[in-house]
Amino acid sequence: MTSTTKKHSAIDYENPWVYKGADFTTDDIDDFFGFVYRITNKVNGRIYIGRKYFYAFRTPKGKKRKVKQESDWKKYYGSCPELKEDIKLYGKEQFKREILSIHKAKGLVNFEETRQLFHNNVLTEALDDGTPLFYNSNILGRYMRKDYFRCDRSSDNA
């Protein structure tokens, strides 16, 4: 079996996440806790930045201890209702899923997601037609796009 065949056979889900130019598989998780990602709508150019953990910790029915199991990261497309509507409209194949970074601790995943959201100005950037560039409508549930989008930028120097 060639390395190409082996790599191809390792992909067991549709529209794979891409990390550093290669499809990401369960074998690539190693001891990482989660990742920060970008989903790009190939039709209109809109973007969503989020985070996802590789594992879920659940208490099975009738049990007392939590069990670690792989999360739904392979089929995950974000929690944003507007993004989900566009996925239904255009189809999953019209969305590029990229892993921006992977992290070994939950806190690092959360911090990097927040850093990326602010760094990319997700609440204020727009497409040429005035539509918000990012599907993200808030950061941490505290900073809302409605409060910052199309703000008077002349006050930046005040």
Side-chain angles (χ1 to χ4, degrees):
M1 184 184 310
T2 66
S3 61
T4 306
T5 308
K6 188 175 185 181
K7 183 68 175 170
H8 179 70
S9 65
I11 299 301
D12 60 352
Y13 64 105
E14 65 179 349
N15 196 10
W17 289 102
V18 174
Y19 180 59
K20 294 185 176 180
D23 294 342
F24 197 87
T25 69
T26 298
D27 293 340
D28 297 318
I29 294 174
D30 197 28
D31 61 344
F32 291 101
F33 189 88
F35 61 99
V36 176
Y37 64 86
R38 174 176 52 221
I39 296 176
T40 305
N41 182 327
K42 296 190 250 181
V43 176
N44 61 25
R46 294 192 70 200
I47 301 166
Y48 183 75
I49 293 176
R51 69 166 190 261
K52 186 65 178 166
Y53 306 136
F54 290 118
Y55 296 99
F57 298 89
R58 306 198 192 292
T59 306
K61 197 171 188 173
K63 304 285 182 181
K64 293 185 183 196
R65 290 204 170 147
K66 290 190 178 204
V67 175
K68 178 181 174 181
Q69 60 187 147
E70 195 169 339
S71 73
D72 64 346
W73 68 271
K74 291 178 182 176
K75 59 183 179 180
Y76 192 72
Y77 278 83
S79 59
C80 173
E82 192 178 3
L83 172 61
K84 288 179 179 181
E85 285 177 28
D86 276 2
I87 290 168
K88 280 183 187 176
L89 179 66
Y90 300 117
K92 291 178 181 178
E93 66 281 353
Q94 294 301 323
F95 291 82
K96 180 179 177 184
R97 301 194 304 164
E98 302 168 276
I99 295 175
L100 300 175
S101 58
I102 54 178
H103 305 276
K104 293 189 176 189
K106 183 178 184 177
L108 295 174
V109 175
N110 297 344
F111 173 81
E112 183 59 20
E113 177 202 22
T114 304
R115 192 183 77 75
Q116 286 293 331
L117 293 172
F118 279 110
H119 177 75
N120 286 281
N121 299 313
V122 301
L123 302 180
T124 57
E125 293 298 311
L127 296 170
D128 291 339
D129 68 359
T131 303
L133 173 60
F134 291 88
Y135 288 99
N136 302 78
S137 63
N138 74 81
I139 299 175
L140 300 170
R142 180 175 181 180
Y143 303 98
M144 306 295 174
R145 178 173 48 200
K146 66 180 177 59
D147 296 329
Y148 301 98
F149 192 68
R150 296 185 188 244
C151 286
D152 177 12
R153 298 197 185 248
S154 63
S155 63
D156 287 349
N157 298 327

